[in-house]
Amino acid sequence: MTPSNAAAPLPDSGQGTPNTAIDGQDLQGGGWSDRAYDALLTAFALCVPLLLVLLIVALTMAAWPALKQFGFGFLTSSDWDPAAEHFGAAPAIYGTIVSSVIALVIATPLAIGVAIFVAEFAPRWLRQPIGFLIDLLAAIPSVVYGLWGIFVLVPALRETVMPFLRDTLHLGATPFFSGPAYGPSMLAAGVVLAIMILPYISSVSREVLLAVPRSQREAALALGATRWEAIVGAVLPFARSGIIGGIILGLGRALGETMAVTMVIGNRHEIAASLFAPGYTIASLIANEFAEASGDMHLSALMAVGFVLFVITLLVNFVARWLVWQTSGGTRKVG
Amino acid sequence: MSGVSLTEQVVREPIPERPTGVGVPGTPGLIDASAFSFWYGKKQALYEITMGIQARSITAFIGPSGCGKSTFLRSINRLNELIPGTRHEGKIFLDDADIYARGTDVVALRQRTGMVFQRWNCFPKSIYENVAFGPRINGETDRAKLDEVVEGALRRAALWDEVKDRLRESAIGLSGGQQQRLCIARALANDPEVLLMDEPCSALDPIATQRIEELLVELKRELTIVIVTHNMQQAARVSDRTAFFFMGRLIEIGNTAELFTSPREAQTEAYITGRFG
């Protein structure tokens, strides 16, 4: 070690006690100000979970009359009749899940492809602009997506994409792509959602890919991997849990998205196999009917679908945690 | 910094050494560099390195941080050219073939020159999959053949007995020394002629270091080993020849015993006696 190097640590070590002493003693045995600070921060930290608990309690209480009256049938019945005060949320639950799945199926490969390009292949000067423009997709207000959906996407789907899928590709033989092309449809909602969640999946994946240690890439390349083999064999597996996290984040967005979906999905309370047919989602159902809900049971039924949506997103998050936990398998320890 | 004025002497020409022909003729793994220079952007990292590395021997690169020894090591398998903005001049030959010649198959070159890094970088996969990575990307799909290659490589890396019962477990659960030997096994699975090691023991405890050093002496019977090290005792212990790098230049290369006991250059002496670095 050169003298100049050796001199560098001196100012630090000159302060005497190592850091552990500061952590251990001062915080525990400190004066009243430390204790007040401690209590304040604890209160802040408890506030947020408390809010969540209150939310769950309020939602459950408001939803209770409807859940008690309709029981399990609330989830399975397709009959939503405010006049007769009979409520079944199956089409909205189905539509919420199907539109989100369509969105994931379209957005995931695109987003990961973009992330791989930006993180691995794009020249340095192109990285920033592409990343920025994709992130910008997340900044567009939902209602603008809805308008674009109504005036551009829905006509395009109705006149070009749907006939192409049904007739040219002969997918009309399957129930999913058959029937008349309405325009406002489950497919339209899925496509709008795909565009909306793409930036989330893409930017999380990009960050995760960029965070993969260079040593992992070099290990693969030094073994004679091509760049593509290094990405598939070493970089993507290392980044897998993070990418799954990004996909779940996107799914969470898609499940709860309201305005844009409401504007293009057609809002029909019916389960149809064809993706060309209109549908409904929980979020758009609540948005459409809440203001006009008159009867107590109607209000309670809307609260109950809200509760169902909450449970779905909760489940998605638990599954995500589990997946991330499964796939990470101690990757953090790799240097 | 005392005694020898280094910057003045560094300007001197490197020791000319006619590289071609050292080592056992006809043995694969002979490396010759001829006036090889390297730049990171505008910064020149290597100045006309000319040296021969004997086949079936251990050559140690020593020198202070930033002296270019790692850069030169990583030029032998062309790993440095992945960094944008780098360029080189001069030539490096592996078995008389210019590795920077147009049309060189870099993938094949890297399979012939295995590399072990300073910080073990096992993939977060099973022990088996780590070793099988190289053969797999070379297109080996036959299960029995892969099993054989994996076992062979782990045996050569002196790791087989420790891991044979848990090949399916994650490599990340192994100790540091075991992970580093797994990285060696992973490189050996490609059956390389050359093993390039970039400070392979700098993050290991003395016992793990000793195991790796014993392994190197074992491996040099079949491989050409080039090892970059900060640890001069290590260089003295394991290597047959030692090259001293300083500020991007090769100051001296010679038999390890000679270089450590009677260095020709004042800078080498200053470094090995601990007057700088």
Side-chain angles (χ1 to χ4, degrees):
Chain A
M1 197 180 266
T2 62
S4 59
N5 278 345
L10 271 178
D12 286 327
S13 51
Q15 289 182 357
T17 46
N19 283 338
T20 45
I22 297 171
D23 291 340
Q25 289 178 358
D26 289 358
L27 274 183
Q28 280 170 12
W32 67 271
S33 60
D34 274 350
R35 263 173 281 139
Y37 185 61
D38 204 27
L40 189 69
L41 286 187
T42 311
F44 283 161
L46 289 179
C47 260
V48 180
L50 188 71
L51 212 61
L52 181 72
V53 170
L54 287 177
L55 194 86
I56 296 171
V57 169
L59 199 60
T60 316
M61 276 168 58
W64 188 246
L67 290 175
K68 200 172 75 175
Q69 173 149 6
F70 305 114
F72 196 67
F74 186 75
L75 301 178
T76 53
S77 163
S78 294
D79 183 23
W80 184 275
D81 188 350
E85 293 222 317
H86 187 274
F87 299 98
I93 297 169
Y94 171 82
T96 300
I97 293 168
V98 170
S99 60
S100 298
V101 169
I102 299 172
L104 276 191
V105 166
I106 299 173
T108 304
L110 267 176
I112 295 178
V114 167
I116 291 176
F117 174 73
V118 172
E120 302 285 335
F121 291 106
R124 218 159 260 264
W125 60 270
L126 203 60
R127 249 180 218 184
Q128 287 279 335
I130 289 189
F132 175 73
L133 286 175
I134 290 169
D135 290 350
L136 211 60
L137 281 178
I140 298 175
S142 166
V143 65
V144 176
Y145 275 110
L147 276 179
W148 175 82
I150 289 173
F151 290 110
V152 181
L153 179 70
V154 166
L157 284 178
R158 183 173 53 221
E159 271 133 47
T160 321
V161 179
M162 287 178 177
F164 175 78
L165 287 172
R166 185 183 55 199
D167 305 327
T168 317
L169 294 182
H170 300 291
L171 289 174
T174 67
F176 307 112
F177 299 97
S178 59
Y182 286 109
S185 57
M186 196 70 92
L187 186 65
V191 173
V192 167
L193 282 176
I195 301 169
M196 295 179 76
I197 66 174
L198 192 139
Y200 292 92
I201 304 178
S202 163
S203 56
V204 171
S205 305
R206 185 183 66 218
E207 294 307 317
V208 172
L209 288 176
L210 286 173
V212 172
R214 208 178 69 176
S215 65
Q216 289 280 315
R217 277 184 193 85
E218 288 188 337
L221 292 165
L223 288 167
T226 60
R227 282 181 83 181
W228 182 245
E229 285 165 344
I231 290 167
V232 173
V235 176
L236 283 181
F238 196 94
R240 186 168 46 199
S241 58
I243 293 176
I244 291 175
I247 294 171
I248 298 299
L249 183 69
L251 179 59
R253 294 281 310 170
L255 288 171
E257 172 50 41
T258 309
M259 186 45 89
V261 172
T262 309
M263 289 165 84
V264 298
I265 200 169
N267 301 321
R268 195 169 67 179
H269 210 87
E270 202 177 284
I271 294 179
S274 175
L275 303 180
F276 294 175
Y280 226 148
T281 69
I282 293 175
S284 38
L285 175 64
I286 297 174
N288 275 331
E289 297 199 356
F290 195 80
E292 292 144 29
S294 44
D296 286 347
M297 191 49 76
H298 192 183
L299 258 180
S300 177
L302 288 173
M303 284 298 196
V305 282
F307 181 77
V308 171
L309 181 59
F310 180 73
V311 171
I312 292 175
T313 46
L314 218 59
L315 281 178
V316 164
N317 273 291
F318 281 132
V319 170
R321 291 274 157 135
W322 180 78
L323 270 177
V324 169
W325 177 76
Q326 278 278 304
T327 51
S328 63
T331 43
R332 233 145 272 135
K333 273 169 39 185
V334 174
Chain B
M1 207 173 282
S2 61
V4 192
S5 168
L6 291 157
T7 35
E8 269 173 38
Q9 302 194 11
V10 144
V11 195
R12 221 199 285 169
E13 285 298 299
I15 313 303
E17 176 166 340
R18 200 54 252 140
T20 319
V22 287
V24 189
T27 4
L30 206 68
I31 302 162
D32 279 344
S34 146
F36 187 83
S37 300
F38 196 87
W39 287 262
Y40 294 106
K42 286 201 166 56
K43 188 183 171 297
Q44 185 163 4
L46 291 176
Y47 295 84
E48 301 190 1
I49 305 291
T50 295
M51 71 156 80
I53 292 172
Q54 296 176 349
R56 304 288 193 268
S57 70
I58 300 178
T59 303
F61 291 177
I62 60 169
S65 297
C67 68
K69 55 194 191 301
S70 285
T71 300
F72 184 62
L73 188 81
R74 293 160 58 94
S75 297
I76 299 174
N77 66 351
R78 293 181 61 173
L79 203 57
N80 259 350
E81 68 187 14
L82 297 164
I83 301 165
T86 56
R87 67 186 180 89
H88 75 278
E89 269 174 24
K91 289 176 173 164
I92 296 177
F93 296 91
L94 175 61
D95 295 342
D96 294 328
D98 181 1
I99 64 166
Y100 281 94
R102 210 177 288 267
T104 298
D105 183 353
V106 182
V107 165
L109 170 73
R110 294 196 184 128
Q111 283 160 7
R112 290 172 62 193
T113 54
M115 187 164 222
V116 177
F117 297 81
Q118 177 173 10
R119 177 79 193 179
W120 46 91
N121 53 359
C122 301
F123 301 124
K125 305 177 180 203
S126 71
I127 294 167
Y128 183 96
E129 285 304 320
N130 264 280
V131 183
F133 189 91
R136 271 197 208 282
I137 57 174
N138 291 342
E140 184 58 68
T141 49
D142 180 40
R143 191 76 218 189
K145 187 86 177 72
L146 273 177
D147 287 349
E148 195 182 308
V149 170
V150 168
E151 178 175 346
L154 284 169
R155 279 190 190 282
R156 286 175 80 190
L159 192 61
W160 175 253
D161 290 332
E162 289 160 64
V163 300
K164 65 182 173 204
D165 297 323
R166 44 174 177 156
L167 292 175
R168 299 281 151 207
E169 285 173 32
S170 172
I172 310 303
L174 297 174
S175 73
Q178 287 174 325
Q179 288 198 38
Q180 191 61 298
R181 273 180 286 144
L182 181 63
C183 291
I184 295 174
R186 186 174 64 181
L188 292 177
N190 271 341
D191 200 18
E193 298 150 34
V194 177
L195 195 57
L196 306 170
M197 312 188 88
D198 195 353
E199 298 184 38
C201 301
S202 61
L204 296 179
D205 63 67
I207 293 173
T209 301
Q210 194 191 343
R211 297 213 58 172
I212 302 244
E213 288 177 3
E214 285 164 6
L215 178 61
L216 294 188
V217 174
E218 197 58 28
L219 285 171
K220 78 169 177 180
R221 289 191 294 191
E222 23 192 62
L223 285 170
T224 305
I225 297 173
V226 186
I227 177 171
V228 165
T229 179
H230 268 296
N231 181 334
M232 273 178 286
Q233 285 76 31
Q234 180 171 61
R237 276 195 303 266
V238 301
S239 72
D240 301 299
R241 306 222 309 156
T242 299
F244 173 60
F245 285 75
F246 187 66
M247 293 178 76
R249 289 168 204 274
L250 174 66
I251 305 299
E252 184 170 351
I253 179 168
N255 288 333
T256 298
E258 278 171 36
L259 187 129
F260 276 101
T261 50
S262 51
R264 284 177 302 222
E265 299 296 314
Q267 289 154 316
T268 315
E269 188 177 1
Y271 182 70
I272 61 179
T273 54
R275 265 184 280 163
F276 70 93

